[in-house]
């Protein structure tokens, strides 16, 4: 059974500014406490096929590979572990007066329901922290 967590935040900044903050993935630890370290594992422009190693508090480090990339709009990356495939989608939509950002984390595989019980509260908390941090970082740059 797939497990999904999602949060949407309204941001008083244009989509291009939100994208600028979001697409600089190695800088995420500066604006979200849900990320301790992010390191690109390849060179070149960030896009489909790019890989990163992410270390988050209370979780094992994981390697994520970008599977979807629409510059200025969204990207998704995936990380596999025994019994579970995790996909994280980051989407920006224009709104009157700014943007909205939707962060979604989906888990599939036989271990997904168990991980939802054990890590569901932490996952939701990290999504909320990331959304709030993205909002602050994008809006701060607009002032």
């Amino acid at each position: 059974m797939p497990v999904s967590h999602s949060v949407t935040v309204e941001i008083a900044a244009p989509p291009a500014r939100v994208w600028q903050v979001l697409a600089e993935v190695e800088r995420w630890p500066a604006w979200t406490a849900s990320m301790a370290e992010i390191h690109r594992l390849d060179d070149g422009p960030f896009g489909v096929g790019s890989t990163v190693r992410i270390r988050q508090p209370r979780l094992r480090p994981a390697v994520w590979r970008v599977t979807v990339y629409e510059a200025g709009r969204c990207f998704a990356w995936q990380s596999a572990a025994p019994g579970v495939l995790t996909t994280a989608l980051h989407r920006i939509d224009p709104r009157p007066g700014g943007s909205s950002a939707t962060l979604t984390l989906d888990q599939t595989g036989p271990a997904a329901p168990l991980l939802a019980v054990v890590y569901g509260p932490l996952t939701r908390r990290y999504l909320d922290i990331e959304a709030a941090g993205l909002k602050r970082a994008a809006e701060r740059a607009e002032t």
Side-chain angles (χ1 to χ4, degrees):
M1 171 190 305
V3 175
S4 185
H5 306 279
S6 186
V7 63
T8 299
V9 63
E10 299 294 320
I11 302 173
R17 176 60 195 146
V18 179
W19 179 257
Q20 181 182 18
V21 173
L22 192 64
E24 294 177 358
V25 296
E26 287 185 295
R27 299 194 64 189
W28 287 18
W31 54 260
T32 179
S34 66
M35 301 286 173
E37 293 177 8
I38 299 180
H39 296 288
R40 290 275 312 270
L41 300 178
D42 49 36
D43 295 322
F46 184 70
V48 171
S50 294
T51 55
V52 298
R53 179 179 311 278
I54 296 177
R55 188 173 63 79
Q56 295 182 269
R58 300 182 56 200
L59 298 174
R60 291 178 179 232
V63 173
W64 294 78
R65 178 176 302 280
V66 177
T67 56
V68 173
Y69 185 88
E70 296 177 32
R73 172 105 167 93
C74 70
F75 79 89
W77 51 23
Q78 293 183 327
S79 181
V84 66
L85 176 67
T86 302
T87 303
L89 173 66
H90 310 78
R91 189 182 79 232
I92 301 166
D93 293 299
R95 295 284 184 257
S99 312
S100 68
T102 301
L103 311 176
T104 304
L105 190 125
D106 296 321
Q107 294 181 305
T108 58
L114 176 61
L115 290 173
V117 170
V118 175
Y119 290 105
L122 182 64
T123 299
R124 286 186 293 279
R125 182 169 165 254
Y126 281 179
L127 282 174
D128 288 343
I129 290 169
E130 185 178 321
L134 176 60
K135 175 179 174 68
R136 277 190 309 275
E139 289 178 351
R140 180 174 44 242
E142 284 300 299
T143 59

